[in-house]
Amino acid sequence: MLKVDNLRASVEDKEILKGINLEVKPGEVHAIMGPNGSGKSTLAAVLAGRESYEITEGSVTFLRKDLLEMAPEERAREGLFLAFQYPVEIPGVSSTNFLKTAVNQIREHRGQEPLDAVSFLKLIKEKMKLVDIDQSLLSRSLNEGFSGGEKKRNEIFQMAVLEPKLAVLDETDSGLDIDALKIVAHGVNSLKNNENAVVVVTHYQRLLDYIIPDYVHVLYDGKIVKSGTKELALELEEKGYDWIKEEANITT
Amino acid sequence: MNTEQELRSYFQEKYSSLTSGLNGEQTADLSQLRHKALDSFNSLGFPQNKSEEYKYTPITKTLLKSLRTDDHQVMEPQTVPPFNEYLLPNLKGHLVVFWNGRLVYCTDDLPQGLSIEPIDPQGNSLAESGIGTIANYQKDAFTALNTALFNHGAFIKVAKRSVIEEPVVLYHLWDDRANYMQTRHLVTAEANSHSQVVEIYKCTSGTKNTFHNSVTEVTVGKNAHFSYHKVQTECGENIHVGNTHISQASDSTVKCTTITTEGRMVRNNLNLTVDGSNCESHMYGLYLLHGTNHVDNHTRVDHRLPHCYSNELYKGIINDRAAGVFNGKIFVRQDAQKTNAFQSNKNLLLSDHASMNTKPQLEIWADDVKCSHGATTGQLDEEQLFYLRARGLDKQQARSLLLYAFAQETLEQVTSPVLKDYLDQVIQARLIEDHG
Ligand SMILES: Nc1ncnc2c1ncn2[C@@H]1O[C@H](COP(=O)(O)OP(=O)(O)OP(=O)(O)O)[C@@H](O)[C@H]1O
Ligand SMILES: [Mg+2]
């Protein structure tokens, strides 16, 4: 589904991603962990098409298409979804209006009829239940004045509505209390099937008790320096990153 | 015309022909007032290059270049043009319609407590109006020119304790035959009344330069609520100088919105004199400019007495080679303790050639006050654009959604739902035209 091959990216001549290799197949769950500043959000942003990063080398194919050639909106329409680490507040833009536009753009791309007001409302009611999000939140401006937890939940809610093929969740668990975490995990799990895939970026093994990964990768200094199964996450939780850093520094 | 002197002489001649045309039929008071105003105009002259007040708006130069002197007789009675098709459908209100500066319709179906009298060049209806007391013709050349030369207008009076549900709507319509227009309105909103006035400016056809110099004087009585909307959405190549002078008595509330989306060169002066305590004053503005539009909003709030609140928010979206100017003066006099005065001007520049000059000016003599001001000029937020695009909206949709949201903060201050819908449509259409 997604194949990242020797991806290098920099910002203002500073190299941040230094040769990433990653393959995600349908039905899989991947976790990406790593110390602060290692490049996790940069990888997520580059996949979603943020223009401020310069791709200097490598390739990314998504569903057999060249992802790097596409505009951010084309990627979204093809089925890529990024849940932002820090969702931006957009005063004056109504959450529901925005989401309706987004849904219908994606539907149009898939050759489906646009949803009318009634079917759209039905859809969001159903998805609201899934992530236990309150109606009053959606009648407000997009993310404006939302608490950290509300913003994260809103990201998962949007994901549920847009039904992407590949979701990249950038620290969606950070700052959530255990109840909210369970809700988010439940949302992700109930959308999961054999056709789609999830990449979760996280600092905490805790999330991985609820969203069970098939693979765990450690990103350090712009490279994936170690990959393993869910046991790797437990090991990281216990031992921290120092041993990984040492190993990585020896090999380079 | 090449010089300010010639331009001034042109209008002096207009004054002579106006007075001789009136054949002594105008009231003695008015003829005196006009005469004094002409003297003021002569000594003030049109703003020169160095004029601080017109630093970024070269109005004199523009008039010299574009004022048409081919003679269209604004004063001559003409057949009444079919103005109905130019009115906003569904906008209910008490209508007064001007065409090329001449009154062509004035409703006589009035609710109790509201009177609207046409103002004519003879000044017959002006005896009790107090014309010229609020709009100071000694300081501003355009107010002076208007006072000397106005021909038609409306004198609106809202009686004590009257609540007038629907707005008084003044339509200013024109076509290519007009070279200049000078309208003059007076509003007296007496104590405890509620009322609103909407002024709509609209070019009906044509591409020629026209000049409109308008003055509106408003007296708001004690504990009265008054709102004022100025709408300049379809103004073509119009050069507009508009002075709205409002004086507020104690416990009154005034709300003004000024919305401009078109015009060759527009200068709106909004002057509020807060001459009572416990007053509330709100001023909102939105200018959405493209092409070579030039729009200048000068506002002035003069707090003279204590315990008043004023709040001002002007927002601009400026595209292409258009230019915006904002100057907001707040005076808080020594006696005006406990004044709360806030001002904010926010702008988005959408092209490298668009420009904005903004200047807040606070002068505070009282010591126990809360005042703040802020001005920002920037571009659309890249983070916000990316967020929307990452959800599947294309660049244009994302841009127009954000621009619309930006405008919304001032648009939602328009109280009439019909007018708000109309403005919504104009703005959406513009955003699609420019960004879609
Ligand atoms: N736009 C930018 N300009 C300059 N430096 C940047 C920019 N974006 C990222 N960086 C730098 O790139 C590095 C990687 O940042 P990134 O946000 O990808 O890390 P992260 O792994 O997501 O960290 P965290 O766990 O704290 O979220 C950091 O050193 C960061 O300061
Ligand atoms: Mg990060």
Side-chain angles (χ1 to χ4, degrees), chain A residues 11-12 14-17 34-43 52-53 85-86 170-171 201 203 219:
Chain A
V11 64
E12 291 154 8
K14 180 181 159 202
E15 185 163 61
I16 296 170
L17 300 183
N36 292 119
S38 55
K40 303 182 296 295
S41 293
T42 304
L43 175 61
S52 46
Y53 298 99
Q85 182 174 2
Y86 304 110
D170 191 359
E171 295 200 27
V201 173
H203 284 288
L219 189 62

Side-chain angles (χ1 to χ4, degrees), chain A residues 50-51 72-73 76-77 82 89-90 92 98 102 105 143 155 158, chain B residues 383-384 386-395 397 401-402 405:
Chain A
R50 174 158 271 170
E51 280 150 356
E73 58 270 29
R77 293 171 192 178
L82 167 63
E89 300 196 7
I90 313 190
F98 146 72
Q105 284 300 323
N143 292 325
E155 293 291 283
Q158 290 181 31
Chain B
E383 295 264 320
Q384 295 179 341
F386 180 62
Y387 186 93
L388 297 175
R389 293 178 72 192
R391 296 289 189 258
L393 276 68
D394 64 39
K395 207 171 179 172
Q397 284 174 322
L401 200 61
L402 291 177

Side-chain angles (χ1 to χ4, degrees), chain B residues 1 41 86 108 126 173 223 273 279 325 330 333 418 425:
Chain B
M1 282 181 280
F41 169 69
Y86 300 105
D108 53 12
L126 293 174
L173 308 174
N223 202 35
T273 306
C279 291
V325 180
I330 300 177
R333 313 257 170 190
V418 174
Q425 278 170 27

Side-chain angles (χ1 to χ4, degrees), chain B residues 67-312:
Chain B
L67 183 72
R68 284 158 41 231
T69 48
D70 49 321
D71 240 32
H72 147 58
Q73 298 284 316
V74 188
M75 300 287 298
E76 284 304 311
Q78 308 159 318
T79 48
V80 172
F83 57 82
N84 269 310
E85 59 184 289
Y86 300 105
L87 310 183
L88 301 192
N90 310 325
L91 180 63
K92 286 198 190 142
H94 311 290
L95 298 194
V96 188
V97 182
F98 300 87
W99 192 288
N100 291 347
R102 201 169 60 85
L103 184 113
V104 292
Y105 176 81
C106 182
T107 180
D108 53 12
D109 178 14
L110 294 166
Q112 178 111 38
L114 175 67
S115 79
I116 305 177
E117 290 198 50
I119 292 175
D120 58 20
Q122 291 83 0
N124 291 321
S125 59
L126 293 174
E128 305 288 315
S129 69
I131 183 170
T133 45
I134 298 165
N136 190 337
Y137 56 80
Q138 284 162 335
K139 288 206 177 125
D140 176 72
F142 291 95
T143 302
L145 182 65
N146 178 287
T147 310
L149 271 180
F150 74 85
N151 38 51
H152 285 213
F155 176 23
I156 299 155
K157 199 161 152 186
V158 185
K160 268 184 238 167
R161 289 192 297 278
S162 305
V163 176
I164 310 299
E165 298 287 345
E166 286 171 356
V168 174
V169 187
L170 307 175
Y171 280 97
H172 301 88
L173 308 174
W174 67 89
D175 57 43
D176 265 353
R177 287 173 300 174
N179 49 7
Y180 73 87
M181 297 164 267
Q182 312 238 20
T183 44
R184 177 74 169 232
H185 308 302
L186 291 148
V187 182
T188 303
E190 291 186 343
N192 296 304
S193 65
H194 280 243
S195 58
Q196 31 174 329
V197 169
V198 178
E199 287 200 49
I200 294 173
Y201 291 84
K202 201 166 174 176
C203 175
T204 60
S205 70
T207 50
K208 288 190 181 167
N209 284 298
T210 49
F211 171 46
H212 197 153
N213 180 30
S214 80
V215 174
T216 302
E217 282 182 271
V218 185
T219 317
V220 180
K222 280 189 179 171
N223 202 35
H225 285 244
F226 176 74
S227 70
Y228 175 79
H229 297 303
K230 184 168 182 178
V231 178
Q232 301 164 305
T233 44
E234 297 165 68
C235 292
E237 287 298 299
N238 189 229
I239 301 163
H240 176 96
V241 178
N243 275 286
T244 302
H245 301 267
I246 301 179
S247 151
Q248 277 187 261
S250 294
D251 307 313
S252 63
T253 300
V254 164
K255 179 170 165 181
C256 303
T257 51
T258 305
I259 294 175
T260 311
T261 64
E262 205 169 60
R264 162 117 190 255
M265 182 172 278
V266 174
R267 166 65 172 255
N268 294 316
N269 292 321
L270 177 61
N271 294 331
L272 254 74
T273 306
V274 188
D275 224 349
S277 59
N278 194 34
C279 291
E280 235 182 80
S281 322
H282 303 266
M283 286 156 284
Y284 298 95
L286 174 67
Y287 36 100
L288 193 65
L289 314 179
H290 67 172
T292 54
N293 297 155
H294 180 114
V295 173
D296 177 349
N297 280 292
H298 266 58
T299 66
R300 182 179 192 276
V301 194
D302 189 355
H303 285 286
R304 298 180 170 183
L305 286 162
H307 296 286
C308 292
Y309 167 84
S310 70
N311 183 36
E312 176 168 22

